[in-house]
Amino acid sequence: MNPNLPSTNVNYYRSALKRFLAFFISFLACLALNAQTIQKGIVIDAKSRQPLQGATVSVVGQPELSSVSDAAGAFQIRTNESLSTINVSYIGYKTMAYEVQPGKPLVAALQGDMVNLRDVVLSQGIGQQKFNSLAKVDLDLRPVKTTQELMRIVPGLFVAQHAGGGKAEQIFLRGFDCDHGTDIAVSVDGMPVNMVSHAHGQGYADAHFVIPETIKNIDYGTGPYYAQQGNLNTAGYVGFSTYDNISNNLIQVEAGRFNTIRLLTLADLLKKNKDRQSAYIAAEANYSDGPTINPQNFNRVNIFAKYNQAISNNTRLSLSVSGFKSKWDASGQIPERAVNNGTIDRFGSIDPSEGGNTERYNANLLITANLSNGYTLTNQLYYTRNIFNLYSNFTFFLNDPVNGDEINQGEKRHLVGYTSKLARQRFYTNTMVSTQYGIGFRYDATKNSFLSNVVKRRFLNYIKSGDINEGNFYAYVQKQLSLGKFLLDGGLRIDHLNFNYHDRLSSIQSPGRSRTIVSPKLNIQYTVDPTFQLYVKTGKGFHSNDSRVVVANRGKEILPAAYGADLGINLKPIKQVFINIAAYYLYLEQEFIYVGDEGIVEPGGKTRRYGLDVIARWQFTNALFANANLNLSKGRSIGEPKGADYIPLAPDLTSTGGIYYKKKTGLNGGLSYRFIKDRPANEDNSIIAKGYFILDGAINYTRPKYEVGLAFENLLNEKWNEAQFATQSRLLNEPASVDELNFTPGTPLFFRAKLAIFF
């Protein structure tokens, strides 16, 4: 210090320096606080007062600052200053702007509006959620009446029905013939649809207990990249979610060709205080003779009820119950030679005694609590009772030239499961960390899962009969870090499965088997700007083998793994256009082929697939939309000679799309198409499953109190094969068997009219 300065000046400068340092430190602290301003809130439907999951929350002028509301509608978002404005948007709702109010939770009550593609946003904080938004757009534009149509909402997913509309559809996705669910996990409100070690196929996923009008959104993903998804999630997963409540009562009548009729009703049971409690019930009845010469006599009855209650300000309860019963006759698969030589008509039958009946009853309880430490805890308990009975004849007189080869498959199953999820979002400096922990189990107890020989539905003898007990215990952790323009998503899942089978036809029993598998996941997303996004997905998944095969094979090949990777881009060149392009690779340690008439799961060996998926959505005007999906895939068996390494029925080129005109009132309608290319039906490509192009259409006139409409399927009246298989069969009095294409005919031109009344 300068000794020539007076002491009073020294004290003055010292005091001034202290004040300056205090001010500077306070200024920096304010900057830090401003940089770390956290706005919390909840997004709800203004009319129903129910939370909206998947709403996008973003800071105006700073698209890199964004968040997504969770299952309880809650969100947290970081802003750079306390005077920021945030936008809250959700598909089918008006976008709202709110001023940030630090320390005061925001309640964003959104008003319903027309669907708009501008609400599908690209930002660093939003990953898989954008595809859920696309599904909501598609679902709003294409109101569906069957579970087949629901499944077709998923880009790249094809379905085929080949038992008179009564059993689960055959599913195709990403170069997989998933059979009835072997390589795709399906759920409704978090409750599994798939039935492991089922009498008719591994992962059997019969979703016909779903009433389409109760579905508010469809969550889907391709590949084994998601920690929340476990067994059977190799090609992908589909998760349906139902409305928590409804705004209007509905009575609807539909009638169409082939003596088709459908009755539907939805009733709102609690109209007041919907932010505290709500309840509704839905019911439908269906009947159709179908296009076949022998009437299908198909009938199905569904009922669904859901109740929601706010137990406290931080805890919500949701309880749903449903019941489903179906019965039908089927004309079955028919051989090409029988049609070509005039033995039967294309819509005829070799064995008209096929068909069956099935029932499913569900109870699903969820309790969601927002804890004081910022965590959200969700506990779910579900129970299913399933009854299944099916008569089929694939080979006619190949094995038994006297009685024929008709078989009967059946089972009665109890399924119980529990899942607990703990989730939280936190900010560390400029990094948002989303964490989710999960544990759970499912237990399947099946009594008398059987396969028997029958003649015209009359029992002859058992081929297989036994009791199956299978348990799946699992735990997972998922971490998502938002780092500037990067979004890092990592997960680890552990599954432990127990398999037990009691053979009723044998005095010697094999011991149960168990196995554990660990499945890591890592996904990285980079947002260049609001119009361009890159991502890489990697992960390991698995599908389990049938318990009967596991026990018989002494635990070998229990849990073959699937290893996959995606490289993709998301584009929004303009606000009304969204494009996704993804290249993928998938290696499967063991392909499973279910041979129903033999009662076995046949190993298909190692396989690999690679391909390209393209998703495109356009909005030309406020009311005119178009979409297109293109899916290319090449799949081959590993270790087989070239030319004999085809994967039977694996699609290599599919496309779906359409154009739609949608307004709240007045005329609405659209045209949609689906295309699948010819593909190999057997390993050496000597038998071809024929491709097809189908065009559907619909037109409706909507008013606030009613709606009338007309829907068409197969407008061009194409002759097409729905389900197709390379099958060795023998007809009555044929000297030898023939290996050729067997198929079920696709529906010809079909139309139905509807009248809906809202009140």
Side-chain angles (χ1 to χ4, degrees):
M1 182 172 294
N2 189 338
N4 297 322
L5 287 175
S7 61
T8 54
N9 288 344
V10 171
N11 292 335
Y12 172 82
Y13 286 117
R14 181 180 297 163
S15 176
L17 179 61
K18 287 182 179 179
R19 289 195 298 270
F20 175 79
L21 289 175
F23 172 81
F24 184 73
I25 292 171
S26 298
F27 176 75
L28 291 178
C30 288
L31 287 178
L33 285 174
N34 284 338
Q36 294 304 306
T37 296
I38 306 299
Q39 178 68 60
K40 297 182 179 181
I42 184 172
V43 185
I44 62 173
D45 181 299
K47 187 174 183 179
S48 69
R49 311 302 296 177
Q50 297 299 304
L52 296 177
Q53 179 182 7
T56 300
V57 184
S58 58
V59 177
V60 175
Q62 296 175 289
E64 71 278 5
L65 301 178
S66 60
S67 182
V68 177
S69 59
D70 61 18
F75 71 88
Q76 297 183 53
I77 187 169
R78 176 177 58 86
T79 66
N80 283 334
E81 53 185 58
S82 59
L83 299 179
S84 295
T85 300
I86 61 175
N87 279 340
V88 183
S89 62
Y90 191 63
I91 292 291
Y93 289 81
K94 294 180 181 178
T95 298
M96 300 291 290
Y98 298 90
E99 295 296 325
V100 170
Q101 299 178 350
K104 183 178 180 181
L106 170 67
V107 177
L110 302 186
Q111 300 282 348
D113 196 10
M114 295 297 297
V115 166
N116 200 312
L117 275 178
R118 69 168 182 265
D119 296 326
V120 179
V121 300
L122 301 184
S123 67
Q124 116 286 348
I126 303 171
Q128 178 65 19
Q129 193 65 44
K130 65 179 67 69
F131 296 108
N132 302 351
S133 299
L134 286 180
K136 188 168 179 61
V137 171
D138 294 344
L139 194 59
D140 186 80
L141 294 176
R142 292 178 56 191
V144 296
K145 307 304 175 191
T146 67
T147 53
Q148 281 183 286
E149 293 174 353
L150 272 177
M151 298 291 279
R152 289 177 182 145
I153 292 290
V154 178
L157 191 151
F158 266 65
V159 296
Q161 177 59 253
H162 55 99
K167 70 174 185 179
E169 285 82 12
Q170 185 182 10
I171 302 172
F172 303 92
L173 178 66
R174 271 205 163 181
F176 276 86
D177 169 15
C178 301
D179 194 31
H180 297 293
T182 304
D183 289 287
I184 182 169
V186 185
S187 64
V188 176
D189 289 334
M191 177 179 62
V193 175
N194 302 81
M195 297 293 173
V196 292
S197 302
H198 188 267
H200 189 65
Q202 175 65 331
Y204 186 83
D206 185 355
H208 289 114
F209 64 90
V210 175
I211 299 175
E213 285 79 2
T214 65
I215 298 300
K216 69 176 180 181
N217 203 5
I218 305 174
D219 178 22
Y220 64 86
T222 47
Y225 312 127
Y226 319 98
Q228 301 92 332
Q229 304 296 327
N231 194 9
L232 309 177
N233 172 218
T234 52
Y237 77 91
V238 177
F240 299 105
S241 57
T242 60
Y243 285 102
D244 286 333
N245 67 53
I246 57 176
S247 301
N248 297 300
N249 297 322
L250 167 68
I251 294 177
Q252 184 168 300
V253 179
E254 299 176 41
R257 197 180 178 192
F258 313 128
N259 294 326
T260 299
I261 189 167
R262 179 175 184 251
L263 306 176
L264 169 71
T265 183
L266 280 80
D268 186 1
L269 303 180
L270 295 172
K271 296 182 178 297
K272 296 182 179 180
N273 301 320
K274 288 202 170 190
D275 55 341
R276 303 298 300 176
Q277 62 177 353
S278 63
Y280 71 94
I281 189 169
E284 70 166 341
N286 296 267
Y287 180 85
S288 180
D289 284 335
T292 52
I293 294 173
N294 296 296
Q296 293 177 357
N297 299 311
F298 168 73
N299 62 80
R300 182 174 70 233
V301 176
N302 287 24
I303 188 167
F304 174 81
K306 192 170 187 179
Y307 172 74
N308 293 276
Q309 181 178 8
I311 300 174
S312 68
N313 290 334
N314 296 314
T315 306
R316 299 188 68 88
L317 173 148
S318 177
L319 173 65
S320 63
V321 294
S322 63
F324 144 77
K325 192 171 184 178
S326 181
K327 186 178 181 181
W328 69 96
D329 298 321
S331 292
Q333 297 158 207
I334 56 176
E336 280 191 322
R337 64 187 184 278
V339 177
N340 293 337
N341 64 25
T343 301
I344 60 172
D345 183 83
R346 178 177 173 81
F347 292 95
S349 176
I350 300 296
D351 186 351
S353 64
E354 296 189 42
N357 57 277
T358 185
E359 303 174 42
R360 177 165 175 156
Y361 306 96
N362 305 295
N364 193 14
L365 174 66
L366 290 96
I367 298 178
T368 303
N370 296 321
L371 307 181
S372 57
N373 57 5
Y375 280 100
T376 298
L377 177 64
T378 302
N379 288 292
Q380 179 177 16
L381 180 66
Y382 56 83
Y383 167 78
T384 292
R385 172 64 166 165
N386 192 66
I387 300 171
F388 174 83
N389 189 45
L390 178 68
Y391 297 93
S392 307
N393 192 343
F394 305 114
T395 54
F396 311 120
F397 292 91
L398 176 67
N399 301 315
D400 188 338
V402 177
N403 296 307
D405 298 344
E406 186 176 1
I407 58 172
N408 182 201
Q409 296 164 310
E411 65 166 54
K412 294 182 179 180
R413 176 188 303 246
H414 296 279
L415 165 62
V416 63
Y418 168 77
T419 300
S420 182
K421 300 177 185 178
L422 187 64
R424 181 170 68 168
Q425 288 185 342
R426 292 191 67 182
F427 288 93
Y428 298 91
T429 62
N430 292 326
T431 303
M432 184 181 75
V433 180
S434 300
T435 305
Q436 185 176 125
Y437 305 97
I439 59 171
F441 73 88
R442 68 172 282 177
Y443 180 74
D444 293 70
T446 304
K447 296 297 181 184
N448 192 25
S449 179
F450 68 86
L451 169 66
S452 64
N453 288 315
V454 295
V455 55
K456 298 189 183 300
R457 302 195 183 187
R458 179 172 54 85
F459 176 81
L460 291 178
N461 60 275
Y462 281 116
I463 302 172
K464 289 184 177 292
S465 177
D467 304 325
I468 303 171
N469 293 286
E470 184 172 327
N472 182 184
F473 303 87
Y474 58 86
Y476 68 85
V477 59
Q478 181 187 22
K479 289 273 188 179
Q480 191 176 86
L481 284 73
S482 179
L483 299 167
K485 294 186 176 184
F486 281 95
L487 183 68
L488 308 181
D489 188 334
L492 186 68
R493 182 183 178 96
I494 301 175
D495 286 85
H496 179 78
L497 284 84
N498 291 313
F499 306 86
N500 292 276
Y501 178 60
H502 175 77
D503 190 343
R504 294 189 177 194
L505 304 182
S506 175
S507 59
I508 301 175
Q509 303 298 321
S510 300
R513 303 290 175 175
S514 64
R515 186 67 58 86
T516 300
I517 188 169
V518 178
S519 304
K521 327 278 185 177
L522 178 61
N523 307 314
I524 302 173
Q525 177 180 282
Y526 180 73
T527 303
V528 179
D529 57 45
T531 67
F532 185 40
Q533 201 171 63
L534 297 163
Y535 65 86
V536 176
K537 295 181 179 181
T538 61
K540 175 186 176 184
F542 72 97
H543 59 183
S544 64
N545 207 336
D546 187 286
S547 288
R548 291 161 289 191
V549 180
V550 168
V551 172
N553 290 350
R554 300 182 179 181
K556 296 180 181 179
E557 300 173 345
I558 291 180
L559 303 176
Y563 300 89
D566 270 35
L567 175 62
I569 61 173
N570 295 313
L571 302 170
K572 284 208 76 176
I574 59 175
K575 291 182 178 180
Q576 278 70 37
V577 173
F578 175 86
I579 300 172
N580 166 252
I581 304 173
Y584 66 87
Y585 175 86
L586 187 66
Y587 166 78
L588 198 60
E589 286 185 338
Q590 188 66 263
E591 192 98 5
F592 287 150
I593 303 169
Y594 188 76
V595 185
D597 50 344
E598 300 293 339
I600 61 172
V601 175
E602 184 179 275
K606 299 177 181 179
T607 60
R608 61 170 169 258
R609 292 169 172 84
Y610 56 88
L612 187 72
D613 291 341
V614 180
I615 299 173
R617 301 290 182 271
W618 299 269
Q619 183 174 2
F620 301 111
T621 68
N622 288 338
L624 186 61
F625 297 78
N627 64 35
N629 308 296
L630 178 66
N631 312 97
L632 303 169
S633 177
K634 183 176 181 179
R636 292 293 185 267
S637 296
I638 299 174
E640 299 294 333
K642 187 175 182 179
D645 58 350
Y646 293 93
I647 303 173
L649 301 180
D652 50 24
L653 173 59
T654 64
S655 181
T656 59
I659 186 165
Y660 311 95
Y661 184 77
K662 178 71 174 180
K663 297 184 71 174
K664 277 191 173 182
T665 59
L667 285 175
N668 298 278
L671 292 171
S672 61
Y673 76 89
R674 59 187 188 273
F675 167 78
I676 186 168
K677 182 177 173 288
D678 290 354
R679 60 198 191 280
N682 59 353
E683 290 81 357
D684 63 4
N685 199 24
S686 60
I687 301 176
I688 303 297
K690 298 177 181 178
Y692 55 81
F693 176 90
I694 302 299
L695 185 67
D696 300 327
I699 185 169
N700 300 297
Y701 182 74
T702 307
R703 303 299 299 170
K705 295 297 184 181
Y706 68 90
E707 181 178 75
V708 292
L710 192 60
F712 297 90
E713 297 180 28
N714 193 3
L715 272 168
L716 304 179
N717 199 25
E718 291 290 325
K719 288 185 177 180
W720 62 291
N721 298 341
E722 186 160 13
Q724 306 177 73
F725 300 90
T727 305
Q728 187 178 20
S729 64
R730 183 168 64 176
L731 302 178
L732 186 64
N733 298 324
E734 278 189 330
S737 62
V738 178
D739 192 9
E740 68 170 358
L741 190 73
N742 284 230
F743 68 93
T744 56
T747 302
L749 174 63
F750 172 76
F751 55 85
R752 65 173 182 261
K754 77 170 181 180
L755 170 64
I757 298 176
F758 314 110
F759 60 98

